[in-house]
Amino acid sequence: RKYSKKTERVKKTNQMVIVCMSIIKGFLLLGFITQILLGKQGAEFIGIPAVLLGLGLIADWVLYIRDHSSVILKNVILYGFLLVYAILNFMNGSQFVILYIIPPLFCCMLYYHKQFNASIVIIATAILVIRAIKDIITVGNVNQSEFMMIVILWQCCFFSGQQGFSNNLIMMQYIR
């Protein structure tokens, strides 16, 4: 009965999402800092995403500490991550960069908000399509992994929409 109220469900979801995304952002930030300290090739370009990721992590926690049931927290956490994701994809990130979107997709599904999930998928797809077009122009071909990620993104969108719909039906039956 504790989670029958929307604020309690949002509070618990926010808790799970902030922990998950903090781990992901923390590992990425640690990797960026390591690259900068070791002076790896391209380290000078990593500074911008590192700063944005660090500021996003701080903003996430400030919002969460202020209000555990904040409805805007999901926007700050996930759209902030998408900004860093876009920068990394547009600055010739490795092929593994396209995979960074998978954990945030699972996190956004926890909210069971169809429009929010669709917006994350549409933005991530646009980022990957732009990356693919850039690759066609600069390299002359598209990597198969980019195409497959676009397919996976749209499958996630469909799944989250169906899952949200079925959960709403269950909740309505529970309430009656």
Side-chain angles (χ1 to χ4, degrees), residues 11 37 50 91 139 152 161-162 166:
K11 183 188 266 188
L37 293 176
M91 55 187 272
V139 181
I152 290 169
Q162 293 300 319
S166 65

Side-chain angles (χ1 to χ4, degrees), residues 17-32 48-60 63 72-91 96-108 111 116 119-121 123-125 127-128 149 153:
V17 169
I18 196 160
V19 168
C20 179
M21 290 302 295
S22 292
I23 291 169
I24 294 162
K25 289 178 178 183
F27 276 117
L28 284 174
L29 192 56
L30 185 63
F32 294 158
I48 295 169
V51 168
L52 289 174
L53 204 57
L55 290 174
L57 202 51
I58 292 168
D60 297 348
L63 276 173
I72 65 165
L73 181 63
K74 67 181 178 192
N75 297 324
V76 173
I77 292 173
L78 293 162
Y79 290 131
F81 184 82
L82 279 174
L83 175 65
V84 174
Y85 181 70
I87 292 169
L88 291 172
N89 272 289
F90 299 154
M91 55 187 272
F96 295 112
V97 170
I98 62 173
L99 300 174
Y100 293 174
I101 195 63
I102 293 174
L105 280 176
F106 289 119
C107 287
C108 79
Y111 288 102
F116 176 70
S119 71
I120 298 292
V121 169
I123 293 168
T125 301
I127 292 167
L128 291 176
M149 274 305 297
L153 286 171

